[in-house]
Amino acid sequence: MTATICGTGSYIPSYTMDNHDIARLVETSDEWIRERTGVIRRHIVRDETTVSMAAEAARRALADAGAALEEIDLILVSTISSNVVLPCAACEVQKELGAVNATCFDLSAACTGFVLAYNTALAYLASGVCRTALIIGSESLSNLTNWKDRGTCILFGDGAGAAVLRADAAEEDRLRKHYLPVTHSDGGKGAALTCKSRHDFSGLNGGGKEISPEDILDDAHYMQMDGQAVFKFAVKRVPEVIGEVLELNQVKTDEISYYILHQANKRIVEAVAKRLGEPMEKFPMNLQEYGNTSSASIPILLDEMNRDGRLKPGQKLVMAGFGAGLTWGAAIIEWR
Ligand code: ACO
């Protein structure tokens, strides 16, 4: 048995910061940011939270799928920037929606998170444990961004994307090809991209030291990145894992309509296209508008393409995520 994405949705905060706004905070320029990353502006939460954005993206995905709330029996939220620790963001989304029949939990795998949420939902649906899943990537990375660090604050933005997956019930659908994903992790290289928990006060109060706000929010509590190491990792591992997933499923590159990559950096997307020998037209990008929204970037892009009519039934798409962990992975979707 396999499953199908039958609806998508997204939510983007209306407040924006363009590169000129960033250049007022750190020593940088619009020209440098555009040239090195492709980002022009990013949307930033004001009144929204990771949970409220997730719930709104979910409502839009449910409407697009024509899915009833009672039908949803699994809600997965991929996030590294939830405004709640307990209960999990997925339970908060369940409460906001009133999807009372769902089992809910969060996943934390940074920019690979949505691909892993998709794989997890697929496994639940394929095994018959669940029938309809709501998967969401939602991030308010602006809360984890050190706005004094020009190596990172130029990159990130906030937003949420969601998709509804249904287990295929019709006989002909059940006989359709089932594409297996490929995912990898290398915890040994995790130091390339880190962020300490706001709840990790270890080392601060040892020895009876009084904790000050400055201590709690030292630089380690914001995202810290070895940009070049992450860049090199991405341009090597992403084409590799796409090659693996294609080979595993006996799918050729000319069968793929679009490669929906995590939107981290224009130069990474271009390098992946070049290494795969595929034309840039197959690599849609929206990072110029939103920056890197981590686990939200793939479902936001998927939703845009669904709504503007670029996605057509029968098309094969590759989703590929990569990021902190380090983690990376790819999955093939047949659009219906
Ligand atoms: N503005 C102006 N100059 C800058 C800036 C800036 N914002 N940032 C760095 N520089 C300077 C550096 O100091 C350096 O100067 P120097 O040559 O005098 O020492 C020069 O520009 C080049 O710096 P690099 O770090 O080599 O710049 P690079 O071309 O690598 O671009 C960037 C940096 C954009 C961060 C890039 O490395 C990148 O995109 N890396 C990948 C990040 C990523 O994709 N992360 C995804 C995962 S995120 C997640 O999982 C949450």
Side-chain angles (χ1 to χ4, degrees):
M1 185 191 280
T2 181
T4 300
I5 293 184
C6 46
T8 63
S10 58
Y11 177 87
I12 309 292
S14 57
Y15 178 73
T16 58
M17 282 175 82
D18 67 16
N19 292 343
H20 299 286
D21 295 321
I22 303 283
R24 282 190 276 276
L25 302 176
V26 290
E27 203 184 322
T28 189
S29 66
D30 175 49
E31 193 190 1
W32 195 96
I33 302 172
R34 280 182 195 237
E35 197 178 292
R36 295 299 189 122
T37 72
V39 180
I40 298 174
R41 68 182 68 77
R42 64 288 289 146
H43 294 242
I44 303 289
V45 289
R46 275 291 176 90
D47 300 326
E48 302 93 340
T49 64
T50 296
V51 166
S52 74
M53 293 192 295
E56 192 48 40
R59 281 187 198 99
R60 294 173 187 182
L62 291 167
D64 187 42
L69 286 173
E70 313 79 65
E71 205 190 314
I72 305 301
D73 50 12
L74 179 66
I75 300 178
L76 303 180
V77 175
S78 166
T79 185
I80 54 164
S81 52
S82 181
N83 50 298
V84 289
V85 176
L86 294 173
C88 64
C91 279
E92 288 291 274
V93 169
Q94 177 195 33
K95 183 177 71 183
E96 287 212 17
L97 298 177
V100 291
N101 296 325
T103 291
C104 309
F105 60 96
D106 293 355
L107 278 97
S108 170
C111 307
T112 317
F114 189 77
V115 175
L116 289 169
Y118 174 80
N119 296 347
T120 306
L122 216 55
Y124 271 75
L125 299 177
S127 64
V129 172
C130 293
R131 303 215 42 85
T132 310
L134 175 59
I135 57 171
I136 307 166
S138 184
E139 305 285 4
S140 29
L141 297 178
S142 56
N143 291 321
L144 302 181
T145 298
N146 181 350
W147 293 100
K148 293 179 188 156
D149 175 13
R150 70 176 181 173
T152 52
C153 76
I154 57 167
L155 295 170
F156 299 109
D158 301 336
V164 175
L165 270 93
R166 278 199 189 97
D168 294 326
E171 188 58 25
E172 72 268 22
D173 283 338
R174 279 194 276 149
L175 295 174
R176 269 196 305 131
K177 190 166 175 183
H178 185 180
Y179 298 106
L180 291 171
V182 177
T183 51
H184 296 287
S185 305
D186 183 359
K189 298 213 170 66
L193 185 44
T194 58
C195 183
K196 231 169 147 181
S197 165
R198 302 276 161 104
H199 309 278
D200 175 11
F201 305 136
S202 57
L204 289 179
N205 56 358
K209 184 176 169 247
E210 209 171 292
I211 301 170
S212 72
E214 292 76 38
D215 284 332
I216 294 169
L217 291 183
D218 68 12
D219 285 354
H221 293 88
Y222 296 106
M223 285 185 285
Q224 295 191 309
M225 183 177 66
D226 179 343
Q228 286 195 11
V230 175
F231 191 96
K232 282 182 195 154
F233 145 73
V235 300
K236 182 172 189 303
R237 295 302 189 189
V238 178
E240 265 176 25
V241 78
I242 291 174
E244 279 181 75
V245 84
L246 292 174
E247 194 182 328
L248 178 70
N249 293 288
Q250 296 293 292
V251 173
K252 297 199 167 38
T253 50
D254 59 14
E255 295 175 58
I256 301 298
S257 299
Y258 293 108
Y259 296 88
I260 302 182
L261 304 192
H262 165 50
Q263 301 288 292
N265 183 319
K266 179 182 70 166
R267 291 188 298 140
I268 292 178
V269 179
E270 288 168 350
V272 171
K274 196 169 168 198
R275 287 201 185 187
L276 288 172
E278 286 281 83
M280 276 309 293
E281 300 81 74
K282 287 191 179 184
F283 292 79
M285 272 193 266
N286 62 8
L287 60 89
Q288 60 280 7
E289 179 63 32
Y290 306 124
N292 175 348
T293 56
S294 192
S295 64
S297 82
I298 290 175
I300 291 172
L301 184 54
L302 200 61
D303 184 47
E304 278 188 0
M305 296 176 72
N306 179 24
R307 283 171 196 270
D308 69 20
R310 267 179 286 177
L311 300 182
K312 308 267 189 291
Q315 281 177 339
K316 291 190 188 77
L317 318 172
V318 169
M319 289 194 297
F322 53 93
L326 298 173
T327 56
W328 64 105
I332 298 172
I333 304 173
E334 191 173 320
W335 199 253
R336 307 228 75 214

